[in-house]
Amino acid sequence: MKPIKSLLLSLFVLVAFYGCKQNETKETTPEFKVDFEKFTLDNGLQVILHVDRSDPVAAVALTAHVGSAREKENRTGFAHLFEHLLFLESENLGKGGLDQMSARIGGSGANGSTNRDRTNYFQTVPKDALEKMIWAEADKLGFFINTVTDPVLAKEKQVVKNEKRQSVDNRPYGHTFSVINSNLYPEGHPYSWEVIGSLEDLQNATLADVKEFYRRWYTPNNTTLTIAGDIDVEQTKAWVKKYFDEIPRGEDIPKMEKQPINLKNSKRLYYEDNFARLPSLTLTWPGVPEYDKDSYALSVLTDYLSNGKKAPLNKVLIDDQKLTDDVSFYQYNSEIAGQIMLNVTAFDQVDLNSVAKAMQEGFKDFELNGISDADLNRIKAGQETEFYQGLSSVLGKGFQLAQYEIFAGDPGFINQDVKNILAVTKEDVMRVYNTYIKDKNYIATSFVPKGQKNLILDNSQLANVVEEKIIEGAEETFDASIAATYEKTPSSFDRSVEPPYGESPELNIPTVWKKELTSGIKVFGIENNEVPLVEFEIQIEGGLMLEDINKTGVSNLMASLITKGTKNKTPEALENAIESLGANIYAYATSENIVIAGYTLSKHFDATMDLVTEILLEPRWDETEFELLKQSTISNIQRQQAIPNSIAYSQFAKLLYGEDNILAYNSSGTENSVKSISISDLENYYNTNLTPKLTKIHVVGAISEANVVKALNKIDSTWEPKDVAIPELAMPLYPEKSTVYFYDVPGAKQSVIRFGYPALKATHKDYYPASVMNYRLGGGSFASQLTQELRESKGYTYGIRSRFDGSANKGEFVISSGVRSNVTYESAALVKEILENYGVNYNEEDLEVTKGFTIKSTARAFETLSAKLDMLSNISNYGLSDDYAKQREAIVKNMTVEDVKALIEKYIKPNKMIYLVVGDATTQLDKLEALGFGKPVLLNSKVLLK
């Protein structure tokens, strides 16, 4: 082990500047520190440790400096494939590897991600399982590759291909990045292919290819280990040395040299997208690598041009010409190069030439006026808040330390990173605009619905997009049950012995305070000073349930409109006031509530709540904003109608609740209902249905009860109480028999399945026990039977889950997944078989795994501010006690196999279920009759996608 280098990371967080004509003052935030230690093992492994004792958990992240950029042409997708393979098995963890151990130890679930430049593996666990995690991560790094066999590789290829179908092939605009990157970067550039790779390359990958890739890049000297949380530093160092030290160093890793792009000519490309409902234009310019000195000013530039009422692009595209409801402008920066992307998804039938022209008008506005000091400082204030949010969990801190270590060469670079953000000037912003955007070559991609080529940018050429054909039996077969045979890698000690647990952590339940205000508002809070942030939500009961079933969407529009200006503030003035505080305030409607929520720096909580008070009590009812919101909502509804997952969600609700129940409808409404809504409908809903008597406020963060109550004084004293009755809605019964329903999406590369029936409300005494019962069925990710059978054994899907989803007013049991089109029937039949046998086969081992996960995972149940906010919601909405986590722990400890079997008998009904499939009817519909539930019912005889 090399000498330990101990560092103090001081985050001199952003300074908010407040300027005026005569002078300039500044307000500084108290210094916020993150201590860490960094050391290097003799084999080159970089290790970073950070202590955070706020919760009895530890986050472990193993980051390999290898992404798709290290791949060879025609062998793409390997880095991402490895992200999958490393979870399956290693020599000492055994088959199922880390996934099975995660379930036993109560971890957050073993997970990973891959980008162009790195692959990481991460999990948060109770602190008593830290040695187990270090042992497991070392086994993955040094004792893994022998377990990969041809059947293992064949199966995981199917899983990865299913992920590509789900994230790229079966969604609107899914091929956009592929078209852009293959034309922006020259042939052979490491960023010219996609991280997920091509289906052809994945299929052609051999075992020898895979092993070569692993031995080259998965070495200690190309890897960083970060451990953050409630740890004993000296003991952790000893464990790291014990388990990682003897893993041999690999070949020296060449530095990735910068490869900037010089785009000699602009290119215009188009594609008629089977899943798109609206035309979409993306312009992409060559940019800069991550942490480049110009990346900071570019971040301000893209934010200023596209976000908010003052944004030049928004003013032209949204407010003046009403071509779209959203402008997205951002950087996609990576290790050796970067790109700047401007995207607009236009309204229905909008010619993309008019969008391109409007973009140029927005740019001209900026060229004439630039950016003001006030806007520059407003954007910096927002960046400060985002910075803190990234550090609100131990895993977030670990990620950030590893990021700086690998790509900036030092975890302490965060100090300089913050200074670089602060150093951006107005002149810098204009300079990078002139350097990278103005009159520079770009790639323009027009993605339009099938049959709407007339909307593409002039002089566009057809893009090269490879689409997979649906062919029965096209995938190779494999037997995932075959055990790998190999000679084990030598070690200086017996690594097959799993380390013991450490001392069990005590369940740390946050202290909840409660206060009922004079107006009837009920306030629930948790004070937590880990980061100087406050998160809040105001929940007003009603939402969709108080709407006219013939005019749905009123509450959603009303919630959106009240944030568009107040009695004394224009929409632009309100937006500027919020952003100048570094705050975020938003409102939305659900089927059961109106919610006003947000977050802010704790020092600005009073000022933020003053703005919330205006929003709630003094709405502007701006006619112009109302019309924009209506068009935006209609556009969003149109987009959702082309997304198979969204189709499945909405169709399932109609089948579950029936046309006469308001809960069968989406709170956004329908195209026709939204068109019929007037602003007076919104005012009437507001005046009739919003009352403090049905309001609950949840607040968590660095603020005391007294200061919260003080900040709510105006709402409490001004808001007039009135009585509002929440209707009792009839809950649907179980279907008398199972029926298969099919929604046709021609050419779908996956079938989305959504199976289920009405079930328990969250207030029912069996709701939590039933959720525990579901863990081994489909609630436990890789510990569940559905995942093990459909993904791990068969390779039919990228992911599948089952859950009891209940609230105070409704409940349902749902199984959902996206499966390969040519195994739609096989997938449905296998789900049915698993359901039928779940109670019969449930045993002591299932219960032991369930108890292990459920009890131990409570150690990390309330780590983040959002988790604490969810805790308050559970207490206030469902009448749970403050220590409900301990009560639930007792329930789980006392459960028996017989108890679980009784719950399965009572609540798992495979023959009284709605079986909904959204997919390609031509190839898949008829086969589903073999499920034994009669001829499938086709829901859309008139095909919507052509």
Side-chain angles (χ1 to χ4, degrees), residues 538 540-564 586-596 615-616 619 621 626 629-630 633 637 662-663 665-670 673-674 676-690 724 726:
I538 300 174
I540 308 165
E541 195 172 354
L544 180 68
M545 292 195 302
L546 295 176
E547 291 191 36
D548 179 350
I549 200 169
N550 297 309
K551 192 182 277 191
T552 55
V554 172
S555 63
N556 176 65
L557 280 172
M558 188 277 297
S560 298
L561 188 60
I562 62 174
T563 63
K564 305 297 182 182
Y586 53 95
Y588 59 93
T590 70
S591 59
E592 299 169 84
N593 297 292
I594 302 291
V595 178
I596 303 172
I615 289 168
L616 178 60
W621 305 121
F626 171 66
L629 279 172
K630 280 184 67 173
T633 303
I637 292 169
I662 192 72
L663 296 177
Y665 298 85
N666 192 297
S667 59
S668 295
T670 66
S673 70
V674 172
S676 72
I677 294 171
S678 67
I679 199 167
S680 61
D681 292 323
L682 274 58
E683 293 183 71
N684 181 61
Y685 185 101
Y686 172 89
N687 291 321
T688 304
N689 297 323
L690 270 62
V724 176
I726 301 297

Side-chain angles (χ1 to χ4, degrees), residues 726-747:
I726 301 297
E728 284 285 336
L729 298 177
M731 287 299 101
L733 303 174
Y734 285 113
E736 292 184 6
K737 62 178 183 178
S738 289
T739 304
V740 179
Y741 299 91
F742 202 103
Y743 191 100
D744 186 23
V745 178

Side-chain angles (χ1 to χ4, degrees), residues 128-157:
D128 65 342
L130 176 57
E131 186 183 2
K132 293 176 183 287
M133 275 299 297
I134 295 172
W135 166 73
E137 292 300 323
D139 211 50
K140 285 162 54 179
L141 183 63
F143 303 84
F144 152 76
I145 196 62
N146 289 338
T147 67
V148 181
T149 61
D150 283 315
V152 169
L153 180 60
K155 188 271 296 182
E156 209 58 30
K157 285 180 186 179

Side-chain angles (χ1 to χ4, degrees), residues 104-341:
R104 287 189 283 107
I105 66 178
S108 59
N111 211 337
S113 68
T114 308
N115 64 24
R116 289 168 164 175
D117 307 305
R118 63 100 186 105
T119 306
N120 64 0
Y121 306 87
F122 52 89
Q123 182 165 200
T124 302
V125 299
K127 69 175 187 178
D128 65 342
L130 176 57
E131 186 183 2
K132 293 176 183 287
M133 275 299 297
I134 295 172
W135 166 73
E137 292 300 323
D139 211 50
K140 285 162 54 179
L141 183 63
F143 303 84
F144 152 76
I145 196 62
N146 289 338
T147 67
V148 181
T149 61
D150 283 315
V152 169
L153 180 60
K155 188 271 296 182
E156 209 58 30
K157 285 180 186 179
Q158 301 308 326
V159 173
V160 173
K161 287 195 277 186
N162 283 323
E163 181 180 358
K164 183 177 185 294
R165 294 179 186 112
Q166 181 173 310
S167 61
V168 176
D169 300 339
N170 214 49
R171 59 183 290 267
Y173 321 114
H175 293 285
T176 302
F177 270 89
S178 175
V179 171
I180 291 170
N181 294 335
S182 61
N183 286 277
L184 178 68
Y185 297 100
E187 187 176 355
H189 192 286
Y191 295 164
S192 63
W193 54 82
E194 297 308 287
V195 173
I196 202 164
S198 75
L199 293 180
E200 182 180 3
D201 286 355
L202 285 169
Q203 189 57 47
N204 292 336
T206 67
L207 191 58
D209 293 331
V210 168
K211 293 193 174 187
E212 177 193 359
F213 189 87
Y214 172 82
R215 291 183 174 123
R216 181 69 185 97
W217 303 114
Y218 275 83
T219 61
N221 51 305
N222 197 40
T223 304
T224 298
L225 175 69
T226 53
I227 302 173
D230 189 2
I231 63 174
D232 180 311
V233 172
E234 294 306 316
Q235 178 62 79
T236 302
K237 291 177 191 174
W239 285 334
V240 170
K241 181 174 174 59
K242 174 182 177 180
Y243 293 110
F244 281 93
D245 212 25
E246 69 177 0
I247 300 174
R249 182 185 183 94
E251 296 177 40
D252 289 342
I253 303 297
K255 182 181 178 182
M256 291 289 286
E257 299 297 335
K258 307 302 182 191
Q259 297 187 37
I261 303 307
N262 179 21
L263 194 61
K264 295 181 180 179
N265 299 291
S266 291
K267 298 180 187 178
R268 296 185 172 197
L269 302 139
Y270 79 91
Y271 177 64
E272 292 183 72
D273 192 322
N274 186 52
F275 296 95
R277 279 300 189 85
L278 302 170
S280 181
L281 176 65
T282 305
L283 304 187
T284 304
W285 293 264
V288 298
E290 196 156 26
Y291 306 129
D292 183 273
K293 61 182 179 59
D294 283 348
S295 65
Y296 302 93
L298 281 166
S299 179
V300 174
L301 173 70
T302 55
D303 190 308
Y304 174 69
L305 286 173
S306 63
N307 286 329
K309 301 297 292 182
K310 296 181 71 174
L313 290 170
N314 279 14
K315 284 193 293 186
V316 178
L317 285 150
I318 297 176
D319 294 340
D320 296 344
Q321 299 188 23
K322 298 177 175 55
L323 300 174
T324 182
D325 63 337
D326 183 57
V327 178
S328 178
F329 202 11
Y330 58 95
Q331 296 182 87
Y332 178 14
N333 295 343
S334 303
E335 184 177 9
I336 62 174
Q339 56 208 69
I340 308 162
M341 304 182 70

Side-chain angles (χ1 to χ4, degrees), residues 50 128 205 235 238 268 290 304 345 446 462 523 647 693 782 817 820 861 904 923:
H50 162 66
D128 65 342
Q235 178 62 79
R268 296 185 172 197
E290 196 156 26
Y304 174 69
T345 299
S446 302
L462 179 64
V523 189
I647 294 169
K693 289 187 173 183
F782 287 90
S817 183
R820 200 172 74 229
I904 296 170
T923 59

Side-chain angles (χ1 to χ4, degrees), residues 644-654 666 754 810 916:
N645 277 307
S646 298
I647 294 169
Y649 182 88
S650 61
Q651 292 297 319
F652 185 80
K654 291 177 182 177
N666 192 297
R754 197 171 182 89
K810 62 179 181 177
L916 172 64

